[in-house]
Amino acid sequence: MESLLLKRRKILLLFLAGVGFPSLALGYLAFRGIRNELALQEQRRLDEHRAVSQFISDTMVGAITVAERAVARVAARSDAARDAEPTRSLSELKQQQSLIEEIFYLDHRGAIQLPAADLLYHPDGSLASLSSRSWPTAVATHMQTARQREFRERQYSAALTSYRSALAATSDTVFQGEALLAIARVQRKAGDSEAALVSCETLASEYGHVRSTAGM
């Protein structure tokens, strides 16, 4: 009986030594291998995320740098003595640089100024400097005649001729835009909607960035 128990114990020990312990060792090594593989995959994902984040950051910084340099170039050229309409260049820059939402600066009093913005509200007296530009003599004559014929006499055909003469008499885009706006208005009053629509489309595409003498 005792020898039978010894044989069973011997068989169990041999089984554990030949199968059990090696299986446990292999299972542990497999578990460690899986953990290491998961850690490597996680590290690769982190490296990819870092690379994408760095690419986005570099792209944004590069775009911001380009926009800042463009604004600096326009500001350097905008000398009041030789550039009567610096806001025109700034408005064009806003259209070219989609990253720029609005351009502003701080004046000597520390107040925020928006030179190229279309403001919904202007404080009393703030439009005085904007409307101080005087029309050239020839253009002013045509415009005065055209307004008299449009509003007082209601002779739209004659008013249209005078407005067109004013448009042809100047190369200043501000005055051209106002003359073209008046032409579209008279064409609408005269019932020529198609011509008025063409004038409005030209006004939007070629003079959309221009600020009028009244600040509009």
Side-chain angles (χ1 to χ4, degrees):
M1 186 68 179
E2 184 178 353
S3 62
L4 182 60
L5 290 175
L6 291 175
K7 286 182 180 180
R8 288 180 177 177
R9 289 177 181 176
K10 185 177 180 180
I11 292 173
L12 180 59
L13 291 174
L14 291 175
F15 175 80
L16 292 174
V19 178
F21 291 130
S23 297
L24 290 174
L26 290 175
Y28 175 74
L29 293 176
F31 176 74
R32 290 294 302 272
I34 292 174
R35 291 291 300 273
N36 291 337
E37 180 64 25
L38 292 176
L40 289 175
Q41 291 180 359
E42 183 65 21
Q43 185 63 41
R44 284 194 291 268
R45 281 196 294 268
L46 289 175
D47 292 340
E48 291 175 356
H49 291 165
R50 290 193 186 97
V52 172
S53 299
Q54 187 63 40
F55 173 76
I56 295 174
S57 176
D58 293 342
T59 302
M60 291 297 297
V61 170
I64 292 173
T65 301
V66 171
E68 288 177 344
R69 290 176 178 173
V71 174
R73 286 194 297 268
V74 172
R77 294 196 305 265
S78 297
D79 185 356
R82 55 186 173 84
D83 188 358
E85 289 293 333
T87 57
R88 188 182 313 166
S89 300
L90 294 176
S91 298
E92 293 174 353
L93 180 62
K94 284 170 54 180
Q95 296 177 357
Q96 297 168 2
Q97 298 286 340
S98 59
L99 192 63
I100 298 177
E101 181 66 24
E102 194 55 71
I103 299 173
F104 69 93
Y105 67 92
L106 299 178
D107 61 15
H108 64 283
R109 299 171 300 174
I112 297 177
Q113 300 295 329
L114 302 166
D118 294 327
L119 302 180
L120 297 178
Y121 168 75
H122 293 273
D124 292 340
S126 63
L127 295 179
S129 60
L130 293 175
S131 59
S132 62
R133 295 188 62 191
S134 59
W135 289 74
T137 303
V139 182
T141 301
H142 291 304
M143 290 295 291
Q144 183 178 2
T145 301
R147 288 168 178 166
Q148 180 177 348
R149 291 172 176 173
E150 176 188 0
F151 296 106
R152 181 180 300 176
E153 302 172 4
R154 297 185 180 181
Q155 297 180 4
Y156 298 133
S157 178
L160 191 61
T161 300
S162 296
Y163 281 131
R164 285 173 174 165
S165 298
L167 177 63
T170 180
S171 60
D172 189 299
T173 54
V174 174
F175 300 135
Q176 285 181 337
E178 295 199 18
L180 185 59
L181 178 61
I183 288 173
R185 183 179 64 243
V186 171
Q187 289 171 333
R188 181 184 61 81
K189 289 181 178 180
D192 193 352
S193 300
E194 292 185 2
L197 180 60
V198 172
S199 298
C200 289
E201 290 175 347
T202 303
L203 190 67
S205 61
E206 298 184 11
Y207 301 92
H209 63 282
V210 175
R211 186 182 298 274
S212 70
T213 55
M216 302 300 293

